[in-house]
Amino acid sequence: MQILVADDDPVYRSLLESLLAESHFEMVSAADGEEAWAILRQEHAPELAILDWMMPKMDGYEVCRQIRAVKGDAVPYILLMTSNGQRDELLRVLVAGADDYLLKPFEPLDLKIRLRTAIRILDLQRQARASSVT
C-alpha cells in the first residue's frame, strides 16, 4: 500500500519513511502542502495520507478541506500530525476532514496503531463498495 507523507521537516519525513518501510509500506513524499495536494489529485493517489498540520504553501488543514471538497466520498484516509494538542485545534483538524490525528513528537507504536486502524477502515470501505456493486 502506498502512503503519502507530507511534512516540510526532512527529519520527520525520514523517520516516517523508516517506520513505514519496517511495516512494508511504500512511501510517497511531499515537502509541502501544494505538493501533497497535487499528489492527492492524481488518478491513482495513495489511499492513506499522513499530513503535517503546519507546512509552507498550503497547510494540512487546507489540504484536508480541498480534498474533501473535490473528491467527496472517494478520499484517502487522512491522518494529520500536529504539535498542538489543544482540544479546540484537534477538533478543527477533524472538522476539516481528517480521519484521525497524531501528536508530535509521537511514539512509533502510536503511529503503528493508527495505521492499523486506518487499514481496517479502508478494507471495510472496499468491502462495502464491492458488495454494493454486486
Side-chain angles (χ1 to χ4, degrees):
M1 172 186 276
Q2 269 193 344
I3 299 178
L4 169 65
V5 173
D7 196 319
D8 59 312
D9 184 338
V11 173
Y12 263 98
R13 280 197 320 272
S14 179
L15 171 64
L16 285 164
E17 183 174 16
S18 296
L19 293 171
L20 294 174
E22 285 175 12
S23 298
H24 308 290
F25 292 109
E26 180 185 340
M27 185 179 116
V28 177
S29 182
D32 61 55
E34 281 184 359
E35 192 177 338
W37 175 225
I39 292 167
L40 291 171
R41 286 193 319 249
Q42 295 174 1
E43 184 177 344
H44 298 291
E47 290 182 273
L48 201 155
I50 302 172
L51 308 175
D52 188 25
W53 174 293
M54 299 302 295
M55 293 184 285
K57 299 183 184 175
M58 183 186 287
D59 62 21
Y61 174 84
E62 185 61 23
V63 174
C64 281
R65 244 182 33 74
Q66 293 288 338
I67 198 73
R68 296 287 181 210
V70 170
K71 289 209 167 190
D73 291 334
V75 296
Y77 187 96
I78 300 172
L79 177 61
L80 209 68
M81 295 185 300
T82 179
S83 57
N84 188 342
Q86 294 180 344
R87 183 178 182 276
D88 290 344
E89 290 302 309
L90 296 175
L91 289 174
R92 186 171 172 235
V93 165
L94 298 173
V95 168
D99 295 292
D100 199 357
Y101 62 87
L102 187 61
L103 292 176
K104 283 178 154 183
F106 61 85
E107 293 294 323
L109 182 58
D110 291 338
L111 175 65
K112 288 179 182 181
I113 289 168
R114 284 180 162 75
L115 289 175
R116 188 177 327 135
T117 300
I119 291 165
R120 195 173 301 137
I121 289 170
L122 289 168
D123 286 343
L124 288 170
Q125 288 173 341
R126 272 190 229 102
Q127 290 172 14
R129 281 193 300 272
S131 67
S132 70
V133 171
T134 58

